Amino acid sequence: MVFRAVVVDVDGTITFSDRSIDCRAVEALRSLDVPVVIATGNVLCFARAVSILLGTTGIVIAENGGVVECGRVEYDTSHVERCEKAFSYLLGHFPVEKLDHYENRKTEIALRRDFDVEKARDILSGFSDIEVVDTGFAVHIKSRKINKATGLTRLSGLMGIDVKDFVAMGDSSNDIEMLEVSGFGVAVGNAHPALKAVADMVTEGEHGAGVAEAVRELKGTGKIK
Amino acid sequence: MVFRAVVVDVDGTITFSDRSIDCRAVEALRSLDVPVVIATGNVLCFARAVSILLGTTGIVIAENGGVVECGRVEYDTSHVERCEKAFSYLLGHFPVEKLDHYENRKTEIALRRDFDVEKARDILSGFSDIEVVDTGFAVHIKSRKINKATGLTRLSGLMGIDVKDFVAMGDSSNDIEMLEVSGFGVAVGNAHPALKAVADMVTEGEHGAGVAEAVRELKGTGKIK
């Protein structure tokens, strides 16, 4: 099996835990001949900036799969109203603060990570179609029907590359579905145990060192170019 | 003189000419103890992303000085209507395409760089308060009253650091006023001749190598920490 593309999470995977870019990941991803797709829980504008700065393809997944861009931009806004309802309900129980005051998050809601997420999940347990995801960088109120795997599936259609031809790399629980749907899943050394459990490869190195290690290994075994 | 902060342009200065980040600049800027401010012609969201990825202070200048952020965000929208008028007038003469379809540029207009800029300047010569600036990455229709120097002056007030306590680094003609108003101006080796003409230091190295060279020199001579 020779994989034809890579999809990679941003925060914690190609960055350090303070969100600053790990240049070891930058250099490793630039060494690849195949397209490198950015997949983030952040907004489209951030995903685009990362893609530009990495020097990759400009093909991105944002908002945990709700937004994809490959030539054109596609949004799945069908569940955002439901997210707003859950947000309003949660706000009735304790103060939460929306992020993205100056950006335009379109398909889900992101909150500042300064409250008890377990308690929020309890409060929202009646919203069976909604999940509260803690990426370690923000807390997302999102539809269970949207995740990085649904985004990757949509994007792979636009790219004309099967999802199984992707290597996926990540660190967080919101990367689980993406690793599962891809052809080969890499969890970096600092990844959440639940992500490591579904990965085909768990690197020894953390953050960018893990990405570089996976790229080296996959190139060395001829699994990617 | 010991400088207390650095303000640095993005495209062409800390990036290569394809806009991908030059890790030599990343490492050099991270080695500084003083605040590092991003100053770009791009939108706030992009400036913030660069700041996050650099691991710098989150203090930024966007839209060529029209937008600044330090704790809070301040916009100077007083000239955008006039920019819109100039844009409409230009559009009557030949096709131009606005950038930022998905972002929210608030204080000026940015255009895809695929037309004769000199001809556009001729057409807009009646708009004496408006200038057409080609950064090499986009063409901006902007007020002559806003530039990275006015942005830096506003920001320096918010930061409580005098503009003369800043080292400014850039590569393009839209960095001229910023270098002039700062305490010490650095033009990287690939800079526009007009910027080199106003710089206190012109580096031998280009892009990130130039930034690293300037940081090394300034630290070596005790001018910055």
Side-chain angles (χ1 to χ4, degrees):
Chain A
M1 178 83 193
V2 180
F3 297 101
R4 296 176 58 203
V6 170
V7 58
V8 64
D9 168 57
V10 179
D11 287 330
T13 304
I14 65 169
T15 79
F16 297 104
S17 52
D18 68 355
R19 303 188 68 197
S20 67
I21 193 88
D22 186 336
C23 285
R24 297 170 296 184
V26 174
E27 304 297 354
L29 294 171
R30 279 185 190 160
S31 77
L32 292 168
D33 290 334
V34 298
V36 175
V37 176
I38 297 302
T40 175
N42 214 319
V43 289
L44 177 62
C45 175
F46 181 83
R48 283 177 162 179
V50 174
S51 180
I52 288 169
L53 293 169
L54 272 182
T56 54
T57 46
I59 305 173
V60 299
I61 298 169
E63 298 189 22
N64 288 307
V67 181
V68 301
E69 177 169 31
C70 175
R72 68 171 184 271
V73 179
E74 294 190 4
Y75 294 98
D76 182 352
T77 56
S78 52
H79 308 288
V80 70
E81 204 175 307
R82 190 74 182 141
C83 297
E84 286 289 351
K85 274 202 180 130
F87 169 72
S88 298
Y89 188 79
L90 187 59
L91 204 55
H93 288 75
F94 57 82
V96 284
E97 187 195 347
K98 274 192 191 181
L99 295 175
D100 314 310
H101 295 291
Y102 295 94
E103 289 90 31
N104 205 354
R105 190 174 288 264
K106 289 184 188 289
T107 68
E108 51 145 50
I109 290 169
L111 302 174
R112 189 172 302 284
R113 194 170 172 267
D114 60 359
F115 60 91
D116 184 337
V117 175
E118 273 310 318
K119 206 172 151 192
R121 284 190 184 122
D122 280 350
I123 291 167
L124 294 178
S125 60
F127 291 79
S128 59
D129 52 334
I130 293 293
E131 62 184 343
V132 180
V133 175
D134 179 4
T135 65
F137 298 92
V139 178
H140 301 256
I141 298 181
K142 58 179 286 301
S143 166
R144 290 186 190 278
K145 291 180 186 152
I146 293 179
N147 54 53
K148 289 186 183 177
T150 66
L152 182 61
T153 302
R154 179 181 272 226
L155 188 72
S156 68
L158 295 175
M159 292 175 74
I161 297 180
D162 192 272
V163 285
K164 290 291 172 208
D165 288 333
F166 276 84
V167 171
M169 304 185 186
D171 77 311
S172 180
S173 55
N174 68 330
D175 298 314
I176 291 177
E177 297 90 347
M178 178 173 81
L179 259 67
E180 285 178 327
V181 82
S182 73
F184 191 87
V186 176
V188 288
N190 55 297
H192 192 286
L195 190 73
K196 289 183 177 176
V198 303
D200 298 296
M201 178 194 296
V202 177
T203 67
E204 203 167 310
E206 301 192 342
H207 308 288
V211 171
E213 182 184 328
V215 167
R216 211 163 41 235
E217 171 74 18
L218 288 163
K219 285 174 89 168
T221 53
K223 285 182 179 147
I224 207 157
K225 281 175 185 167
Chain B
M1 179 82 194
V2 180
F3 297 101
R4 295 176 58 202
V6 171
V7 58
V8 63
D9 168 57
V10 179
D11 286 331
T13 304
I14 64 168
T15 78
F16 297 104
S17 53
D18 68 355
R19 303 188 67 197
S20 66
I21 194 90
D22 186 337
C23 284
R24 296 170 297 184
V26 174
E27 304 298 353
L29 294 171
R30 278 185 191 160
S31 77
L32 291 168
D33 290 334
V34 298
V36 175
V37 176
I38 296 303
T40 175
N42 214 319
V43 290
L44 177 62
C45 175
F46 180 83
R48 284 177 161 178
V50 174
S51 179
I52 289 169
L53 293 169
L54 273 182
T56 55
T57 45
I59 305 174
V60 300
I61 298 170
E63 298 190 22
N64 288 307
V67 181
V68 301
E69 177 169 29
C70 175
R72 67 171 184 269
V73 179
E74 294 191 3
Y75 294 99
D76 182 353
T77 56
S78 53
H79 308 287
V80 69
E81 205 175 306
R82 189 76 181 139
C83 297
E84 286 290 350
K85 274 201 180 132
F87 170 72
S88 298
Y89 188 78
L90 186 60
L91 204 56
H93 288 75
F94 58 82
V96 282
E97 188 196 345
K98 274 191 192 183
L99 296 176
D100 314 309
H101 295 293
Y102 295 95
E103 288 91 31
N104 205 355
R105 189 175 289 264
K106 290 185 187 287
T107 68
E108 50 144 51
I109 290 168
L111 303 174
R112 189 172 302 284
R113 195 170 171 267
D114 59 0
F115 59 92
D116 184 338
V117 175
E118 274 310 318
K119 206 171 151 193
R121 284 190 184 122
D122 280 350
I123 291 166
L124 293 179
S125 59
F127 291 78
S128 59
D129 52 334
I130 293 294
E131 63 184 342
V132 181
V133 174
D134 179 5
T135 65
F137 298 92
V139 178
H140 300 256
I141 298 181
K142 58 179 285 301
S143 167
R144 291 187 190 276
K145 292 181 186 152
I146 293 179
N147 54 54
K148 289 186 184 178
T150 65
L152 182 60
T153 302
R154 180 182 274 227
L155 189 71
S156 68
L158 295 175
M159 292 175 75
I161 296 180
D162 193 274
V163 285
K164 290 292 172 208
D165 288 332
F166 275 84
V167 172
M169 304 185 186
D171 77 312
S172 181
S173 55
N174 67 331
D175 298 315
I176 290 177
E177 297 90 347
M178 178 172 81
L179 260 66
E180 285 178 328
V181 82
S182 73
F184 191 86
V186 177
V188 288
N190 56 295
H192 192 286
L195 190 73
K196 289 183 177 175
V198 303
D200 298 296
M201 179 195 293
V202 177
T203 66
E204 203 166 311
E206 300 192 342
H207 308 289
V211 172
E213 183 184 328
V215 167
R216 212 164 39 235
E217 171 74 16
L218 287 164
K219 286 174 87 169
T221 52
K223 285 182 179 148
I224 206 157
K225 281 175 186 168

